[in-house]
Amino acid sequence: MLHSHGEPPLAPRPAKIAVVGGGSTYTPELIDGFARLRDTLPIGELVLIDPAAGRLDLVGGLARRIFAKQGHPGTITTTADLDAGVAGADAVLLQLRVGGQAAREKDETWPLECGCVGQETTGAGGLAKALRTVPVVLDIAERVRRAAPEAWIIDFTNPVGIVTRALLQAGHRAVGLCNVAIGLERKFAALLNTAPGEVHLDHVGLNHLTWETGVRLGGPEGENVLPALLAEHGDTIAGDLRLPREVLDRLGVVPSYYLRYFYAHDAVVRELRTKPSRAAEVAAMERQLLEMYGDPALDEKPALLAKRGGAFYSEAAVDLASSLLGAGGSPYQVVNTYNNGTLPFLPDDAVIEVQAAVGTKGASPLAVPELDPLYAGLIANVTAYEDLALQAALRGGRDRVFKALLSHPLIGQYEYAEALTDQLIAHNREHLSWAE
């Protein structure tokens, strides 16, 4: 399309992107995506922000080598100064972990003492992470608002649903992002022998509590091939989810692998009690990765990074940022945003994870067919928990923590909630300003 003077439209201005938590071992995955997809999201300056100077130097050095090897013209800077780093940014990506892997290790272990799942994004461990994280993220967002009032905040920090709801309720320009959906898109595309861009998921639920109720080819109105996909590849899909094939056949949908914590809770607890925590595995992996990142000959993301988690995060982040900044991007993307009537059984200000039309004004969820009560009931329950969890994160207090834990479907008994409240506060006192 030409302008009125007959001139072609100008290419989008190269963006300034800031990454808070830029010293994460995840970051080279993100850098690789920015380098490969530079036509989708032109970047003039990329700022990695992190208070951990040693990690930041290692990650920043590798990031510059990746850009150089792939011929990316943008500059990469590193800083511990949040305000300077986000100043004038077009988009700010949040990927921080308050308390580091040490806090995650606790989240994954002390709930097991009560016979409850120990996991960093759901149950008691997920609440602990929310209580540590929400105040820190809101402080960062306020500083972004002052230094870059037009910037979009893309939240990849778990628990994404609760954190995104906190950001939106505080009036920030924010969208939550998770890599579960894009991972399933890639998996289904491979099984169907088609391009990932041809796969459209009927993805519905909350962050880490979602179901694929349809798999369509070509877009929202395309043919639903989920029944055929389950019939032909059900064993493979069930194996990836670590659920029995029979469960998928009876449901006729593909649940997120996080649903295993709900559908096989007691079996998961037994399993977790007999092996090292995921946090311990990741901490060991991170030590290896940081040693690799320090090698001046390394100029690409190492294969070991694929085992760290976050697969396809970079592609999802580039796609979302590109759409929000008007540089292109896919018309429909799975994001976390306000419900606004999409699921009529939830409040409008609940944050849901669904397909949405994404553009410079944000994300607008696509219509979702009426949900089976089997899924709607659990979504409503966990939404109520997330509301109580956010109140506990914002206002503090032992009673609010107890009520959030009691409401969670993975806990739900007052004796467990009492014991877990004491444990949560004891293990997180240094991060809870209200705790005595």
Side-chain angles (χ1 to χ4, degrees), residues 43 90 104 129 165 196 201 224 296 321 353 356 378 381 402:
I43 295 176
D90 297 290
R104 178 180 180 176
K129 193 172 197 300
R165 190 172 182 181
L201 302 178
N224 181 15
E353 185 173 289
L378 187 52
N381 189 338
F402 169 78

Side-chain angles (χ1 to χ4, degrees), residues 394-428:
L394 294 174
R395 302 169 65 189
R398 187 186 187 283
D399 194 51
R400 292 189 182 92
V401 173
F402 169 78
K403 288 178 178 177
L405 290 169
L406 186 63
S407 73
H408 200 291
L410 296 183
I411 300 167
Q413 298 184 54
Y414 75 88
E415 289 184 354
Y416 289 171
E418 286 281 9
L420 290 168
T421 297
D422 291 338
Q423 290 269 43
L424 186 154
I425 293 172
H427 286 294
N428 291 275

